Amino acid sequence: MKNYKFWFATGSQDLYGDECLEHVAEHSKKIVEGLNQSGILPYEVVWKPTLITNELIRKTFNEANADEECAGVITWMHTFSPAKSWILGLQEYRKPLLHLHTQFNVEIPYDTIDMDFMNENQSAHGDREYGHIVTRMGIERKVIVGHWADEKVIGRIASWMRTAVGIMESSHIRVVRVADNMRNVAVTEGDKVEAQIKFGWEIDAYPVNEIAEYVKDVSQADVDTLVEEYYSKYDILLEGRDEKEFREHVAVQAGIEIGFERFLKEKNYQAIVTHFGDLGALKQLPGLAIQRLMEKGYGFGGEGDWKTAAMVRLMKIMTEGMKDAKGTSFMEDYTYNLVPGKEGILQAHMLEVCPTIADGPVGIKVQPLSMGDREDPARLVFTSKEGPAIATSLIDLGNRFRLIVNSVDCKKVEKPMPKLPVATAFWTPQPDLATGAESWILAGGAHHTAFTYDLTAEQMGDWGAAMGIEVVYIDKDTTIRGLKNELRWNSVAFR
Ligand code: MN
């Protein structure tokens, strides 16, 4: 977790005298103190001197641009601040912007209010002038309304901070492709140059045997130590296999985990894709190894799916250090339960589901893969947590990207599935399976998703807006008629 900070910049003017400006500074300091002491914000807020002139506004925004620790500026107009003063600064500002539309006092002081008080405390007035210029300039920003001490308001600021860090960190995501996309598959393809322009992602290919060399170079001692860790941490589900042979298969994944991580660290990559059909000298499809890397925060996409790998990494960054986090994973829509009243989608992948989403014990199984031509890979198996979550799919429509965000409700399946040798989740998409799946298909969503319990559709939508791409929400308010119109209108808006 980087030591990011957010600057708090209060706007005013000198029309009401020095005493008023003293109050403005005092109030904004108290707000910053209150925000920092709330215990709700994931990052610190830093107070900045009151902004009243073009020069100071411009200088402050440029300092924010240059400060590597600054992940965004929170602006608030305590009094009236003529907004032409903000044009040059805003024009040059390049980081996330929050407009906190608040007020120092919570209640109108009925008995004592006079004109001086009203001139000093007029954010309802000043924030409209400021909001106008930001809208006129077409700058993407977040507006949060409410009293600064209200926990709901602080919670929304906290949520925006994670989005802001996602915006800042997107351009530090580097994806390594150890194989190309699966032959003939359309939805995992995309324009990597455009992805770098839009999202800042660097997506590079390496011959699979170059990473396999790193696996080969892992010492037996290192492998043995990691296998010991696996055996102490996970349930060993032999299911009739020979204990010694089982351990040897697990050891192959330990070597892959260590070798891959060394490769990723040395070459500064934070996300990886593999392909079961292109494994070079690797003895098994990376399963357990990839699951452990995802748990450590790496992004992953199967069958060369670099878009989903980068999205998983992005979500891992945005949820970093979150208290009581429930998990984030690469996921795939597999098979339905269509029994009325129990509809849902069984989620899994051949192997690679992140154990951060696990509920209850995690076990290791060794089972044949029905695809590819390697030995039976070891994998972690578990079922996933219940509760609300989001599934996202980033697709390339040929001339632009679209991010689809589906709110889903995760549930337990009715019965255990003893013969299924992979980790699973099960969810019902909102507003219901039929409408949700119809919407997803109309929007062109993939079978692969970047999935998380810990971010909201609003956070991902705000990230997409900051990237300048189309975001389509599928949730409790979605109707097919509305969605089709939205897609039609968006095709013009995002041309
Ligand atoms: Mn897949």
Side-chain angles (χ1 to χ4, degrees):
M1 196 165 178
K2 282 197 189 162
N3 191 28
Y4 276 125
K5 294 177 169 58
F6 291 83
W7 291 11
F8 193 92
T10 309
S12 189
Q13 63 172 343
D14 52 12
L15 193 67
Y16 309 112
D18 287 345
E19 198 192 334
C20 175
L21 281 173
E22 273 165 34
H23 292 162
V24 167
E26 200 181 296
H27 291 169
S28 67
K29 273 182 191 162
K30 277 191 185 150
I31 292 177
V32 169
E33 237 176 70
L35 292 175
N36 284 329
Q37 283 168 5
S38 69
I40 298 171
L41 299 182
Y43 297 93
E44 190 191 339
V45 180
V46 179
W47 180 84
K48 290 285 158 185
T50 311
L51 301 181
I52 51 174
T53 63
N54 299 22
E55 291 71 25
L56 188 57
I57 292 168
R58 193 175 186 183
K59 184 165 168 275
T60 303
F61 275 125
N62 275 300
E63 282 168 1
N65 283 337
D67 186 329
E68 280 186 17
E69 286 193 339
C70 174
V73 175
I74 303 169
T75 48
W76 168 52
M77 305 305 119
H78 187 307
T79 66
F80 195 76
S81 180
K84 286 187 196 167
S85 317
W86 290 76
I87 292 174
L88 289 175
L90 286 169
Q91 243 164 12
E92 288 163 13
Y93 181 59
R94 293 190 312 271
K95 289 184 176 179
L97 182 66
L98 170 64
H99 181 185
L100 178 61
H101 182 42
T102 191
Q103 173 176 287
F104 186 67
N105 54 304
V106 67
E107 190 178 25
I108 295 172
Y110 298 106
D111 299 333
T112 56
I113 188 166
D114 57 13
M115 213 53 215
D116 284 345
F117 180 92
M118 210 146 76
N119 280 330
E120 190 175 294
N121 298 279
Q122 55 167 317
S123 10
H125 183 181
D127 270 335
R128 281 172 168 74
E129 163 76 358
Y130 170 72
H132 165 77
I133 203 67
V134 185
T135 292
R136 174 163 173 166
M137 293 172 73
I139 294 170
E140 189 58 44
R141 88 289 206 186
K142 186 77 180 168
V143 180
I144 294 176
V145 181
H147 193 250
W148 53 273
D150 180 345
E151 289 199 351
K152 268 195 224 130
V153 172
I154 305 176
R156 292 194 70 204
I157 298 172
S159 160
W160 170 80
M161 282 181 165
R162 292 192 175 278
T163 304
V165 166
I167 294 164
M168 296 296 295
E169 284 290 312
S170 189
S171 61
H172 298 295
I173 293 176
R174 302 181 74 238
V175 186
V176 61
R177 304 167 66 230
V178 297
D180 201 348
N181 296 64
M182 185 174 163
R183 277 188 291 280
N184 287 318
V185 175
V187 80
T188 58
E189 278 288 4
D191 184 337
K192 296 187 284 293
V193 178
E194 194 60 23
Q196 185 159 0
I197 293 170
K198 276 278 184 291
F199 312 119
W201 302 343
E202 291 177 58
I203 304 135
D204 302 326
Y206 283 79
V208 59
N209 279 340
E210 200 168 326
I211 196 166
E213 280 296 310
Y214 281 69
V215 176
K216 205 185 80 189
D217 290 345
V218 177
S219 72
Q220 192 58 45
D222 287 348
V223 168
D224 292 345
T225 307
L226 188 55
V227 170
E228 280 308 318
E229 189 188 323
Y230 293 168
Y231 270 64
S232 66
K233 202 170 169 190
Y234 308 116
D235 298 339
I236 303 303
L237 307 170
L238 288 178
E239 298 183 329
R241 287 188 94 106
D242 176 65
E243 162 21 55
K244 189 164 166 281
E245 180 252 3
F246 187 99
R247 192 184 260 275
E248 281 165 9
H249 281 234
V250 172
V252 169
Q253 294 286 335
I256 296 174
E257 178 183 336
I258 298 168
F260 273 31
E261 191 166 19
R262 284 180 186 158
F263 179 93
L264 292 165
K265 280 194 170 149
E266 190 186 298
K267 301 192 183 306
N268 187 30
Y269 289 101
Q270 302 80 32
I272 182 167
V273 303
T274 57
H275 181 352
F276 64 86
D278 188 358
L279 292 171
L282 296 173
K283 288 185 193 152
Q284 296 175 14
L285 174 64
L288 197 163
I290 287 293
Q291 293 176 289
R292 296 258 312 174
L293 288 173
M294 256 194 283
E295 187 178 25
K296 289 174 183 172
Y298 290 95
F300 173 76
E303 296 90 52
D305 186 349
W306 53 267
K307 295 198 298 300
T308 309
M311 288 302 296
V312 170
R313 171 59 185 165
L314 177 78
M315 289 172 158
K316 295 272 185 190
I317 295 166
M318 288 171 72
T319 56
E320 212 173 355
M322 191 181 267
K323 227 171 45 186
D324 306 321
K326 291 170 76 176
T328 298
S329 181
F330 169 67
M331 202 49 101
E332 181 168 277
D333 296 300
Y334 245 111
T335 196
Y336 287 122
N337 190 42
L338 295 173
V339 176
K342 298 171 182 173
E343 295 97 338
I345 317 172
L346 188 64
Q347 303 285 328
H349 202 253
M350 283 191 289
L351 306 171
E352 313 92 336
V353 181
C354 179
T356 55
I357 68 170
D359 189 24
V362 177
I364 301 182
K365 285 193 185 188
V366 174
Q367 289 275 344
L369 260 192
S370 51
M371 288 182 262
D373 55 355
R374 298 303 145 109
E375 66 178 50
D376 301 353
R379 76 286 300 275
L380 296 172
V381 291
F382 50 84
T383 60
S384 302
K385 300 179 184 86
E386 296 177 80
I390 55 166
T392 67
S393 172
L394 180 69
I395 56 166
D396 187 334
L397 290 169
N399 56 350
R400 63 201 175 84
F401 290 104
R402 169 184 287 161
L403 179 66
I404 302 157
V405 185
N406 193 181
S407 301
V408 302
D409 296 301
C410 298
K411 302 164 179 178
K412 291 286 174 193
V413 287
E414 281 182 285
K415 295 174 190 172
M417 299 172 284
K419 293 196 167 170
L420 193 65
V422 288
T424 56
F426 180 76
W427 69 59
T428 308
Q430 288 185 15
D432 54 72
L433 175 68
T435 315
E438 184 176 344
S439 301
W440 186 271
I441 287 169
L442 287 172
H447 52 280
H448 285 168
T449 56
F451 163 82
T452 185
Y453 295 95
D454 304 321
L455 295 169
T456 61
E458 179 182 351
Q459 283 173 301
M460 294 318 296
D462 287 345
W463 174 81
M467 299 295 124
I469 63 162
E470 178 192 6
V471 180
V472 174
Y473 300 98
I474 302 170
D475 59 19
K476 62 180 175 33
D477 298 323
T478 298
T479 63
I480 296 301
R481 188 190 299 176
L483 181 99
K484 285 176 86 167
N485 275 331
E486 185 181 335
L487 297 179
R488 186 177 298 124
W489 298 328
N490 282 353
S491 71
V492 179
F494 288 90
R495 186 172 290 276

